Amino acid sequence: MIIALSAALGVVLLGGGTVGAVSYLKASGSTPAALPDGSGTSAPVEAPSPSDEPAEAEAGDNPKTKATGKPPDPAEEPSPSTSPSTSPSTSSSSAAQPGSPIAHTEFDDWKFNLSGVKFDANKVGGWTYETCEPVDAQGLLAKNDCRRAIQVAYSAYRGHLKAVQVMLEFPSDKAARNAATRITKLTTDAVNIRRDMALRTFEYGKIRTSPAKNYVVVTIVTADRTAQSKADKFHLYMQADSVGYFLLRDVTITS
């Protein structure tokens, strides 16, 4: 898992082209296009109240670029996590069979702990789509033969940071790379998300897109002023952890 995470960090850090890229939400309040509620989805998991959500145990670096707009009033700073995980990542809820269709139930609360870097976020929503149509904002995914999609929403720092991930399954590695490249080059939204799972007013707003074999991971993170300084590092590691998961997902280990 550590080797996969290291490879995934390399993929995420090499921005641009067919490897991975970061784009910015243009303004506070302009989250990506909304996904119609209940369109081809499985039942979402119940969202806990913001007061019950855990905080990260280590602060991240300040992001170089932030979205414009009036921030909300600052709230109490989140406290460090009191029960960090002991493995590199425990975001996976149940091991998937190699080659099986992706499902949001593969992912649970995100608990990350590696070399002193610790994050903790609650899964507050999960949706599995039989096709990619519900999340295909521009028809780009259909053009690249996207087969299936899932969406997972997280909340951290007592609700001051929201993350939404859309994971896409393609018939081949090439199709996934082509789709990732096209997504990052579009000037309009390529992927629909559950907009109610992102902050409408934020100081940090970025989208990371990376291919991982025949999958594409798109992660949207929004954070208000309280969690702004931690958002960029949180975003980087969540994206890399998900990419690492998909790099290993369909590997069959034989004796």
Side-chain angles (χ1 to χ4, degrees), residues 3-19:
I3 295 175
L5 180 63
S6 299
L9 278 171
V11 169
V12 174
L13 289 171
L14 291 174
T18 59
V19 179

Side-chain angles (χ1 to χ4, degrees), residues 234-251:
F234 178 102
H235 199 174
L236 173 67
Y237 276 90
M238 174 171 271
Q239 179 76 358
D241 194 33
S242 297
V243 169
Y245 171 80
F246 282 109
L247 288 175
L248 293 177
R249 182 184 185 275
D250 298 320
V251 174

Side-chain angles (χ1 to χ4, degrees), residues 57-68:
E58 177 178 303
D61 301 326
N62 289 325
K64 296 181 180 179
T65 305
K66 66 179 181 179
T68 60

Side-chain angles (χ1 to χ4, degrees), residues 51 55 73-79 157-160 224-227 230:
S51 62
D73 293 333
E76 180 186 358
E77 282 288 342
S79 59
Y157 306 110
R158 300 184 180 92
H160 295 287
D224 64 20
R225 186 164 56 192
T226 298
K230 304 170 180 65

Side-chain angles (χ1 to χ4, degrees), residues 1-49:
M1 181 62 200
I2 294 176
I3 295 175
L5 180 63
S6 299
L9 278 171
V11 169
V12 174
L13 289 171
L14 291 174
T18 59
V19 179
V22 181
S23 54
Y24 300 90
L25 300 184
K26 297 179 179 62
S28 185
S30 63
T31 54
L35 178 69
D37 293 349
S39 175
T41 71
S42 62
V45 297
E46 182 179 357
S49 60

Side-chain angles (χ1 to χ4, degrees), residues 1 41 54 86 95 113 120 132 151 174 190 208 218 233 238:
M1 181 62 200
T41 71
T86 57
N113 185 349
D120 198 352
C132 295
Q151 185 170 190
K174 181 179 180 180
R208 290 186 181 272
V218 181
K233 192 172 183 179
M238 174 171 271

